Structures are given as C-alpha cells and as structure tokens.
Amino acid sequence: MSLRGKRILVGVTGSIAAYKTATLVRLLIKSGAEVQLIATTSALDFITPLTLATLSKRPVLSAFFEKSTGQWHNHVELGLWADLFVVAPLSANTLAKFAQGSCDNLLTATYLSCRCPVLLAPAMDLDMYQHPSVRTNLEKAASYGNIVLDAETGELASGLSGQGRMMEPDRILEQVIHFFTPQQAFSGKKVLITLGPTQEALDPVRFLSNHSSGKMGFALAQAFKAAGAEVHVVAGPVALTLENQGFQVDRVTTAAEMFSAAKAVHAQMDIVIFAAAVADFRPETAAPHKIKKQGKELSLRLIPNIDLAYELGKEKKGSQFHIGFALETEDGAVNAKAKLIRKNFDVVILNSAKEVGEGFKYDTNKVQIFHKEGKVVESALLPKSQIAQLILEEVKISLGLS
Ligand code: CTP
C-alpha cells in the first residue's frame, strides 16, 4: 500500500536503536509518506541530524527555538500537521514523561498537543523493559489510546539477550500501513457503545457508583472503528482518553443522562453495544448540602434507575442488532440467557467475575458469548482488545458481513 499523502511525524529518543530510525525513515519515504523528524537532544548523541535530514528531506527539529535561524518551532502546528506520530525508538525516560504528561522538550510538547494517533516502539535493556515502573508506564501509555508495539527479543546492545529490542523498521512500516488500511467489513455501519459506570449523587460531594473502568467498551469502540464503522460512544465517568480517537463522544454522569444521550441517536444506529455498568439504583433525593454525620444511623432510600438496554430494546427495529453484557457471580448462563430475552438482545456476553483477571478492573477478560439462536462461543482469558475482536467476528458472522 502507498502512504502517498500521509504525513508522519517520527520522534527519536536517546537509545542505541536510534540508528534503526534511519531505515524506518527511508522505508516511510519510499512508501510515499511525508516525514518530519523530531529528535530529543540525547537522540542526537546516537544518530546525526544530517543522516536523518537527508533521508527525510526535511530539517530535523529538536529545540523549540533555532538560535542560528531565529526560527520558533510550533509544537501545536506540528501536532496538527500529522496524520500519525511514530516514536521510534521510545526510551524509558520519554515513556515516563508521556505517562506523566510532563513536557520539557519539543518532542514531549508535540506529543501532548497532537491530535493524531500515536504509535510507540519502545527500546531498552531487558531489565529496564521488565521493571514494574516501565510496565506501569507502558500500560498507562496504552490506556491513553496510544498504540504500543511490543519490543522484540534478541541480542541487546548491553551484550545481554532478552526482550527490549526496538521492533525492526520493516515491521514498524507494516504497522503503519495496517493503521492506514481501511478495514471494510463494518464501513457504512453505525455503532453505538455505552461504557463505564454511572454516578448517582447522594449530596454535592458523594455518589453511588461501581468499579467499571470502561476498558471493555473502549476496546470494542477501537475494534469497530478499525473495522470501518462510525462509532458513537456514550461514556460515564472514566479515566480513558476517548477524544481524538475518531469516535463521536458524549460524556455523561448519571443513568438518566446516559439514557437521554443514547436515545437521541439510537434510531440511526445499526449496532448497539450496552457495555456500561449502569447503576441500577439512585438515591431518591440528592441532598442539596453535604450530609453531616450526626452520630446515628443513616438510611438511604434508593429508587430504580431506568434500564437503557430494556427501554431501547423495546424500540429495536428488525434491522438493528443489540449486544448486552451480563456480569454474574452465580448461575451465569441461566441469568445471561434470561437477560438476552428480557432485554431483546441479539447477543449477550457473560462475564462471570469469579476469576482473577476477569471483569471490571483488569485489562484481560474471559467471556461466553450467547447468540439468541442458541450458539455459544467461549473465550480463554485474553486481553480486552482480543475479546473485542472476538465479539466483532461474531457480529460479523451474524450480520453476514465479510
Ligand atoms: N443495563 C442498562 N441499563 C441499566 C442496567 C443494565 O443498559 N440500568 C445493561 C448493561 O449495560 C448490560 C445489561 O443491561 O448490557 C445487563 O446488565 P446487568 O447489570 O448485568 O443486569 P441488570 O439488568 O442490572 O440485572 P441484575 O441486577 O439482576 O443482574
């Protein structure tokens, strides 16, 4: 595939793997992309700006201000210019800055202000790569919506052997091409996804809620978007970067707000995924002032919230496809199938929430997928991105898409 017309920012940080960036730039240019390099000062200890500038056909930017020319490099403009930002190699130091949102050079400032997706290719020594702080930072970077490429295993510059090598430039090129290749199966389809918890106010400073992270819904949104769908997300309060991912996003707080936002667009949707953990109850009244302790018991009167899936299930047209989730701690299959019927779902996905790694808080999940026609598909314990892919494949089969 040609990358003609694609504008790619390539960030280089201080790692011996920076020499491979030259090959990556050559491959991107050969594929037709426009490439602008941004290097940290320490990256330039490993590779000369002359090499990178010659290959990319543009000067390498490193400082905010170029003393020799008096030129100011505007990180906001750079961020807006790009269709994709590839940081290769990504050092542990710059990764930590990305994870923290700290910004002390042109590369980190451009990262924070860019609106395009970011692909990260870490490179470091094997023990650094396995250090819990680095693992946490990689997870954080992924949770912000960055595409994190795994480091490869092999001989390292230190002489040790293990995982930490930057992904080879030809494989990074494949990832870039994959990113720009439209996946056709769901193109023209509109998908609505509710995700995250809802919060129901008790008073101005307290609320009832649950542990939903919204990660499963987010993984589904990414999977359907990558497969060509137009994705509309209605999200409760979650710590996920949903903006600038190519989705339409409505952020809401309560179940009532989530219902209004979902109902407003429901009729135009082809596929609706109810991934939100909507609070089933809310306090009958939210106190206008902070409830003070009075040394005695406090009773709360809770009233039921609207059930989005049930209400919108009543309005479902024959051409629409509804997917629900069921989080059960006992009699999983029986309860999930009962929900499938009661809420008029076409498919229900059961999380049993019994094993470590399943459900709300984790990046992994293990599910059973029940189709209304009786077919059941069971997954292993997998990353949520793979569970999302599995669900997508099931919907594809059900709708006869290829
Ligand atoms: N759901 C919803 N609105 C609600 C409650 C649930 O849209 N007020 C949706 C969820 O997003 C999920 C499905 O309904 O797709 C089942 O949610 P779950 O919490 O498992 O079921 P409940 O209906 O709350 O039933 P129960 O409390 O009996 O388990």
Side-chain angles (χ1 to χ4, degrees):
M1 185 209 165
S2 161
L3 292 176
R4 199 157 303 282
K6 304 295 181 213
R7 294 162 159 187
I8 302 177
L9 276 177
V10 176
V12 201
T13 72
S15 154
I16 185 69
Y19 78 92
K20 293 193 202 171
T21 309
T23 310
L24 175 64
V25 171
R26 197 176 63 84
L27 292 173
L28 291 170
I29 293 281
K30 252 177 90 179
S31 304
E34 282 181 61
V35 176
Q36 174 63 62
L37 277 138
I38 308 179
T40 60
T41 324
S42 54
L44 298 178
D45 291 336
F46 292 92
I47 182 143
T48 70
L50 182 61
T51 307
L52 294 173
T54 308
L55 291 168
S56 66
K57 304 182 173 75
R58 285 165 180 261
V60 176
L61 308 181
S62 185
F64 286 104
F65 183 66
E66 212 73 63
K67 282 201 188 98
S68 54
T69 58
Q71 206 185 345
W72 159 256
H73 300 305
N74 186 326
H75 56 93
V76 176
E77 270 174 21
L78 281 168
L80 292 178
W81 172 85
D83 298 310
L84 180 68
F85 190 5
V86 182
V87 186
L90 172 67
S91 66
N93 188 31
T94 299
L95 167 66
K97 292 179 191 175
F98 286 175
Q100 287 300 319
S102 79
C103 158
D104 61 353
N105 60 39
L106 184 65
L107 193 152
T108 46
T110 308
Y111 165 77
L112 285 183
S113 47
C114 76
R115 293 194 181 162
C116 63
V118 183
L119 214 138
L120 303 176
M124 57 199 84
D125 206 46
L126 80 166
D127 295 311
M128 289 172 81
Y129 191 62
Q130 292 307 337
H131 194 281
S133 60
V134 170
R135 303 311 309 163
T136 305
N137 287 341
L138 285 168
E139 278 170 28
K140 272 196 196 164
S143 76
Y144 303 151
N146 299 309
I147 305 162
V148 181
L149 305 178
D150 282 336
E152 291 183 351
T153 303
E155 201 179 309
L156 299 161
S158 60
L160 298 171
S161 192
Q163 194 179 9
R165 287 167 62 97
M166 185 179 94
M167 186 178 269
E168 288 302 320
D170 54 342
R171 288 200 57 215
I172 298 180
L173 178 73
E174 273 173 29
Q175 299 289 330
V176 171
I177 288 176
H178 176 76
F179 171 81
F180 284 114
T181 306
Q183 307 288 306
Q184 294 305 329
F186 285 87
S187 66
K189 297 279 177 219
K190 293 187 174 167
V191 180
L192 169 65
I193 303 178
T194 68
L195 62 83
T198 64
Q199 292 177 354
E200 313 294 333
L202 274 171
D203 68 17
V205 294
R206 303 184 181 96
F207 54 79
L208 293 182
S209 190
N210 56 64
H211 289 298
S212 172
S213 62
K215 287 180 182 172
M216 192 61 243
F218 182 44
L220 283 160
Q222 287 181 310
F224 277 90
K225 172 83 188 73
E230 218 178 283
V231 177
H232 191 119
V233 167
V234 179
V238 286
L240 295 169
T241 307
L242 300 170
E243 287 73 17
N244 306 322
Q245 304 277 349
F247 319 141
Q248 282 272 100
V249 183
D250 281 327
R251 290 207 182 243
V252 298
T253 304
T254 65
E257 288 167 7
M258 188 174 272
F259 178 63
S260 314
K263 189 175 163 59
V265 294
H266 177 254
Q268 294 112 55
M269 295 294 146
D270 299 295
I271 298 162
V272 186
I273 307 178
F274 297 93
V278 184
D280 286 328
F281 298 95
R282 68 174 185 278
E284 186 174 33
T285 48
H289 305 293
K290 186 181 168 199
I291 301 169
K292 303 299 263 181
K293 60 180 175 299
Q294 288 165 350
K296 54 182 187 193
E297 281 175 15
L298 172 71
S299 296
L300 290 175
R301 192 172 157 76
L302 303 178
I303 56 169
N305 261 334
I306 190 152
D307 186 323
L308 280 73
Y310 177 75
E311 293 302 327
L312 296 177
K314 287 197 287 191
E315 294 178 14
K316 189 175 82 168
K317 293 181 289 221
S319 59
Q320 290 180 307
F321 195 87
H322 279 196
I323 303 165
F325 277 79
L327 183 71
E328 306 292 342
T329 51
E330 59 211 334
D331 299 329
V334 175
N335 286 328
K337 284 190 229 166
K339 276 179 194 167
L340 182 118
I341 294 164
R342 189 160 54 83
K343 303 202 187 194
N344 198 14
F345 291 139
D346 296 276
V347 162
V348 73
I349 294 140
L350 169 65
N351 293 135
S352 71
K354 268 191 203 153
E355 289 180 34
V356 172
E358 282 182 61
F360 280 170
K361 288 179 270 180
Y362 301 98
D363 292 324
T364 50
N365 207 356
K366 187 173 172 201
V367 298
Q368 275 179 293
I369 304 174
F370 295 89
H371 288 255
K372 72 167 182 240
E373 296 81 11
K375 179 181 166 196
V376 183
V377 175
E378 196 163 345
S379 81
L381 187 67
L382 294 172
K384 285 185 172 169
S385 57
Q386 288 182 35
I387 297 282
Q389 205 53 44
L390 192 72
I391 295 169
L392 181 142
E393 291 304 323
E394 287 304 309
V395 178
K396 208 160 123 182
I397 297 168
S398 293
L399 297 179
L401 304 171
S402 54

